[in-house]
């Protein structure tokens, strides 16, 4: 029990240090600005399957160089049938190759020389179709949310849903599945991104930079700090990225500086 108690104290201290570091980093970073970035609620959850699908494929776009190549998904509204995924599946017969061919012919700015099987556009089209197939199991948004809540509200089952999505939706691994779930209002999910994978192991808050290990560590830290995994995710992400997107400013990346400052105090 002593080891667990020491770990709980360390987790709480690390989170408090992260908050202190942020508010002292730049005069524009106030408690109100931080709260604006870490607050999500059930009210933020999409209330229709079209918006859920749009969020899904937007998270799929966050992998590696996909965001830069694909650009704003709004330009895909027409090829993707207004993001009505049932119509999309019917139009292309659930075939990502047919979707790819239509996009290439009707969307400007696509480099045709990079349309190999391992190219970004062919892979993204596979992600779109498999995400549509995954969501096609649900008749309503409420049915989908009830399904997610089964995992979200159960500490043991929590990581099982992103693991399932990882296996069933092409190109959306565990980390991006977590990103999708947290960005549609599920605060018990956190994305083990590059910033968290750098900071947490460096402060001995997790054993490795493995996605699953980092995810579980964030959930633990949140419990010990009496906050949500979503909030813990955002605080460390803000330190690492310096991107206060909800207020429209950047302060630069400060992961190394934070690690050097916080490590002696833990």
């Amino acid at each position: 029990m002593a080891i667990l108690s020491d770990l709980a104290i360390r987790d709480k201290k690390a989170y408090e240090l992260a908050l202190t570091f942020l508010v002292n980093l730049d005069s524009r970073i106030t408690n109100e600005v931080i709260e604006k970035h870490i607050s999500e609620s059930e009210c933020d959850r999409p209330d229709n399957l079209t918006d859920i699908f749009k969020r899904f494929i937007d998270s799929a776009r966050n992998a590696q160089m996909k965001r830069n190549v694909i650009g704003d998904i709004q330009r895909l509204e027409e090829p993707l049938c207004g993001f009505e995924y049932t119509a999309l599946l019917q139009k292309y017969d659930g075939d990502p190759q047919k979707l790819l061919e239509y996009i290439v012919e009707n969307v400007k700015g696509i480099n045709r020389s990079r349309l190999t099987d391992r190219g970004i556009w062919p892979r993204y089209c596979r992600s779109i179709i498999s995400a549509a197939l995954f969501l096609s199991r649900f008749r309503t948004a409420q049915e989908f949310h009830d399904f997610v809540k089964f995992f979200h509200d159960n500490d043991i089952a929590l990581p099982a849903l992103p693991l399932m999505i990882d296996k069933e939706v092409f190109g959306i691994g565990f980390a991006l599945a977590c990103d999708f779930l947290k960005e549609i209002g599920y605060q018990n999910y956190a994305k083990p991104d590059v910033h968290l994978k750098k900071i947490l192991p460096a402060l001995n808050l997790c054993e490795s930079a493995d996605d699953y290990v980092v995810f579980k560590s964030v959930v633990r830290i949140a419990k010990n700090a009496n906050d949500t995994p979503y909030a813990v995710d955002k605080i460390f992400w803000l330190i690492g990225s310096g991107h206060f997107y909800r207020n429209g400013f950047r302060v630069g990346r400060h992961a190394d500086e934070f690690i050097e400052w916080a490590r002696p105090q833990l």
Side-chain angles (χ1 to χ4, degrees):
M1 291 298 293
I3 294 176
L4 291 176
S5 178
D6 289 344
L7 182 58
I9 292 170
R10 184 183 184 87
D11 286 344
K12 188 172 186 296
K13 178 68 171 178
Y15 188 52
E16 290 171 349
L17 287 171
L19 289 168
T20 300
F21 182 85
L22 273 182
V23 296
N24 287 286
L25 188 58
D26 188 287
S27 60
R28 293 171 292 178
I29 304 173
T30 63
N31 288 326
E32 290 74 20
V33 168
I34 292 174
E35 184 63 29
K36 188 175 181 179
H37 284 79
I38 68 174
S39 297
E40 288 286 314
S41 71
E42 291 188 14
C43 296
D44 297 307
R45 294 175 184 172
D47 61 1
N48 63 83
L49 286 168
T50 299
D51 284 346
I52 290 170
F53 175 65
K54 190 175 179 181
R55 300 278 196 96
F56 212 160
I57 63 173
D58 192 45
S59 286
R61 186 178 61 112
N62 285 334
Q64 299 173 347
M65 295 295 293
K66 281 183 181 178
R67 178 173 288 273
N68 293 334
V69 172
I70 293 163
D72 189 345
I73 63 169
Q74 204 59 43
R75 70 179 180 137
L76 300 178
E77 183 175 10
E78 189 276 326
L80 300 187
C81 304
F83 305 106
E84 295 286 347
Y85 62 87
T86 52
L88 182 152
L89 289 172
Q90 291 176 355
K91 179 174 182 176
Y92 303 106
D93 300 318
D95 185 346
Q97 183 60 34
K98 290 183 179 179
L99 171 60
L100 175 64
E101 290 170 359
Y102 187 91
I103 288 175
V104 169
E105 290 299 321
N106 294 278
V107 177
K108 295 181 180 179
I110 296 178
N111 190 332
R112 294 171 183 252
S113 68
R114 298 184 178 180
L115 299 180
T116 62
D117 287 343
R118 297 187 62 81
I120 287 176
W121 275 106
R123 292 172 64 83
Y124 188 54
C125 287
R126 289 179 65 186
S127 295
I128 290 170
I129 294 297
S130 57
L133 288 169
F134 182 84
L135 287 178
S136 67
R137 305 171 184 180
F138 305 100
R139 292 170 295 178
T140 65
Q142 187 57 54
E143 188 175 298
F144 169 80
H145 287 304
D146 288 343
F147 171 74
V148 176
K149 286 176 186 177
F150 171 81
F151 299 92
H152 179 261
D153 298 340
N154 185 312
D155 290 344
I156 297 174
L158 185 66
L161 181 53
L163 286 170
M164 179 193 300
I165 294 173
D166 175 15
K167 298 299 182 183
E168 297 202 15
V169 182
F170 179 84
I172 299 185
F174 181 83
L176 289 180
C178 290
D179 180 59
F180 161 64
L181 293 165
K182 77 180 179 66
E183 292 303 326
I184 59 169
Y186 287 95
Q187 296 189 352
N188 286 343
Y189 286 104
K191 180 187 177 185
D193 75 350
V194 292
H195 303 297
L196 276 72
K197 289 163 77 172
K198 179 176 185 177
I199 293 171
L200 299 193
L203 296 181
N204 294 319
L205 296 172
C206 64
E207 296 176 355
S208 75
D210 174 79
D211 285 349
Y212 186 83
V213 172
V214 172
F215 171 81
K216 294 285 285 184
S217 298
V218 172
V219 172
R220 187 201 71 234
I221 292 167
K223 182 177 182 180
N224 290 330
N226 195 32
D227 214 328
T228 65
Y230 181 91
V232 173
D233 171 301
K234 287 293 185 181
I235 291 299
F236 287 113
W237 181 85
L238 287 169
I239 291 172
S241 71
H243 187 192
F244 288 79
Y245 58 97
R246 289 183 172 171
N247 286 80
F249 67 85
R250 295 175 183 266
V251 298
R253 299 184 176 189
H254 293 275
D256 291 333
E257 182 183 343
F258 172 66
I259 291 166
E260 183 178 355
W261 175 78
R263 186 185 284 144
Q265 302 181 67
L266 291 173

